[in-house]
């Protein structure tokens, strides 16, 4: 038994009898552990950079909104995160409609400033959450500019990309004009692999990159890889309608995640980055 399992067993005061690799989690090593008392837990390990404590803090923040389920945090240390297991249920029209509604309710949980009390992670890249009063300032500086500078460091910035990005800097306020809202609680990285449906037919959010921002940033991410039915968006709209002009702004929010994928996975995301920039400059 490795050191992590020894620590977990001591904390639980329960003997671990099996540890089986679990699907999901393209970054961390995930497993289901079973104890002699018959309980099961979900264990994530493989990093020692503060990522797991940030994930735990994000789950706890979403839990505060009291409107959508997240796995309960059992134990967290620098090198691992222990969560309750969630029994998977089946998606249906009603389930996805309700999930969209509950996600909208989470977006009504507000804060005074954009950002979060700590920086966290988007994938394995750092996500900067320094508080700012204005959304366009926060989004450009902490999201787009940070990823652009990382892309420069990684050697992905061409003259063409540089030219378009410099033009974007002067246009960002105009692009986002008219969509101002109070800072709301965001999952931060909601694609199809970062939610589940539980045994009671309720949506469950996992692997968050939490901060307080504009809800359109969360909604745009759901479009990047699919996985969300029209019923999800209808449920959301019925509770908290999209603002006018959202479809135009969607690409500017996708740009952050595509830049992040460029930095994480390489030049295969370059053409998509340029395509999104070309929508605005």
């Amino acid at each position: 038994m490795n050191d992590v399992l020894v620590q977990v067993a001591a904390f639980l005061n329960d003997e671990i009898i099996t540890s089986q690799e679990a699907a999901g989690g393209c970054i961390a090593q995930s497993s289901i552990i079973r104890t002699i008392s018959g309980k099961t837990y979900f264990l994530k390990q493989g990093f020692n950079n503060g990522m797991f404590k940030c994930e735990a803090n994000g789950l706890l923040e979403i839990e505060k909104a009291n409107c959508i389920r997240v796995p309960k945090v059992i134990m967290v240390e620098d090198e691992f995160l222990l969560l309750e297991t969630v029994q998977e249920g089946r998606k249906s029209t009603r389930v996805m409609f309700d999930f969209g509604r509950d996600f909208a309710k989470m977006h009504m949980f507000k804060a005074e400033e954009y950002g979060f009390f700590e920086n966290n992670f988007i994938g394995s890249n750092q996500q900067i959450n320094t508080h700012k009063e204005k959304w366009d300032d926060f989004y450009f500086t902490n999201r787009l500019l940070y990823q652009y500078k990382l892309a420069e460091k990684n050697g992905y910035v061409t003259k063409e990309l540089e030219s378009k990005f410099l033009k974007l800097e002067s246009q960002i306020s105009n692009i986002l004009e008219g969509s101002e809202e109070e800072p709301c609680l965001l999952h931060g990285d909601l694609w199809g692999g970062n939610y589940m449906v539980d045994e009671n037919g309720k949506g469950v959010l996992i692997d968050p990159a939490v901060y307080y921002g504009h809800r359109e940033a969360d909604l745009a991410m759901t479009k990047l890889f699919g996985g969300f039915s029209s019923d999800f968006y209808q449920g959301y709209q019925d509770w908290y309608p999209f603002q006018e002009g959202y479809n135009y702004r969607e690409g500017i929010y996708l740009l952050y995640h595509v830049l992040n994928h460029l930095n994480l996975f390489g030049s295969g995301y370059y053409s998509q980055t340029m395509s999104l920039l070309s929508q605005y400059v």
Side-chain angles (χ1 to χ4, degrees):
M1 187 179 295
N2 66 34
D3 289 344
V4 168
L5 293 180
V6 169
Q7 289 184 67
V8 169
F11 177 83
L12 296 174
N13 194 26
D14 203 355
E15 182 182 345
I16 295 172
I17 55 173
T18 62
S19 176
Q20 185 174 3
E21 186 176 342
C26 58
I27 296 174
Q29 301 167 17
S30 301
S31 57
I32 301 290
I33 63 171
R34 300 180 185 277
T35 67
I36 199 167
S37 67
K39 296 178 181 178
T40 63
Y41 301 90
F42 191 82
L43 178 66
K44 301 177 74 170
Q45 54 185 313
F47 286 90
N48 190 16
N49 59 358
M51 181 185 293
F52 295 131
K53 287 187 175 179
C54 289
E55 181 177 341
N57 287 335
L59 292 169
L60 293 170
E61 196 73 15
I62 294 173
E63 195 171 49
K64 289 179 186 177
N66 196 32
C67 58
I68 195 162
R69 184 180 175 186
V70 293
K72 289 196 174 297
V73 175
I74 308 298
M75 182 186 185
V76 61
E77 297 291 346
D78 285 337
E79 64 272 25
F80 68 89
L81 173 62
L82 187 69
L83 302 169
E84 71 166 332
T85 52
V86 176
Q87 299 300 318
E88 287 199 67
R90 298 179 64 182
K91 297 177 186 177
S92 67
T93 296
R94 186 70 220 182
V95 164
M96 293 306 293
F97 183 93
D98 289 347
F99 179 33
R101 177 202 60 199
D102 292 344
F103 193 54
K105 289 179 180 179
M106 188 190 83
H107 282 165
M108 301 184 86
F109 195 74
K110 308 289 186 176
E112 293 184 358
E113 289 185 297
Y114 300 102
F116 200 43
F117 73 88
E118 64 180 359
N119 295 333
N120 48 28
F121 293 84
I122 184 77
S124 57
N125 283 332
Q126 190 172 47
Q127 180 168 264
I128 306 302
N129 294 321
T130 305
H131 285 107
K132 293 186 180 294
E133 292 184 6
K134 295 181 62 181
W135 172 243
D136 57 352
D137 185 19
F138 177 93
Y139 185 67
F140 184 79
T141 303
N142 291 352
R143 294 294 177 264
L144 298 182
L145 184 59
Y146 180 82
Q147 288 289 338
Y148 174 81
K149 288 182 175 178
L150 189 57
E152 270 190 324
K153 181 180 177 182
N154 291 334
Y156 298 128
V157 174
T158 62
K159 289 293 184 183
E160 185 182 16
L161 198 162
E162 179 185 28
S163 175
K164 286 187 177 294
F165 194 85
L166 290 175
K167 291 176 183 176
L168 180 68
E169 182 173 9
S170 64
Q171 292 296 316
I172 192 70
S173 294
N174 292 334
I175 293 167
L176 298 179
E177 187 177 12
S179 67
E180 295 83 0
E181 286 187 340
E182 292 178 276
C184 72
L185 178 60
L186 305 185
H187 175 281
D189 191 20
L190 187 57
W191 63 286
N194 280 353
Y195 80 90
M196 301 171 61
V197 172
D198 71 14
E199 68 279 11
N200 297 315
K202 296 292 185 182
V204 183
L205 295 177
I206 60 174
D207 297 340
V210 159
Y211 66 102
Y212 285 85
H214 198 301
R215 61 194 174 108
E216 290 181 350
D218 247 3
L219 290 164
M221 181 56 186
T222 66
K223 301 289 187 68
L224 188 57
F225 301 115
F228 298 83
S229 67
S230 59
D231 304 301
F232 171 85
Y233 297 107
Q234 189 60 57
Y236 188 101
Q237 284 266 49
D238 280 8
W239 194 269
Y240 198 178
F242 297 171
Q243 287 185 292
E244 185 176 350
Y246 163 70
N247 288 336
Y248 166 70
R249 293 183 294 272
E250 184 177 88
I252 203 69
Y253 293 123
L254 284 172
L255 179 59
Y256 169 57
H257 295 286
V258 172
L259 278 168
N260 183 51
H261 278 69
L262 176 66
N263 284 313
L264 287 172
F265 304 115
S267 57
Y269 284 91
Y270 177 84
S271 62
Q272 192 174 5
T273 299
M274 294 303 299
S275 177
L276 288 168
L277 280 167
S278 296
Q279 291 181 27
Y280 301 98
V281 294

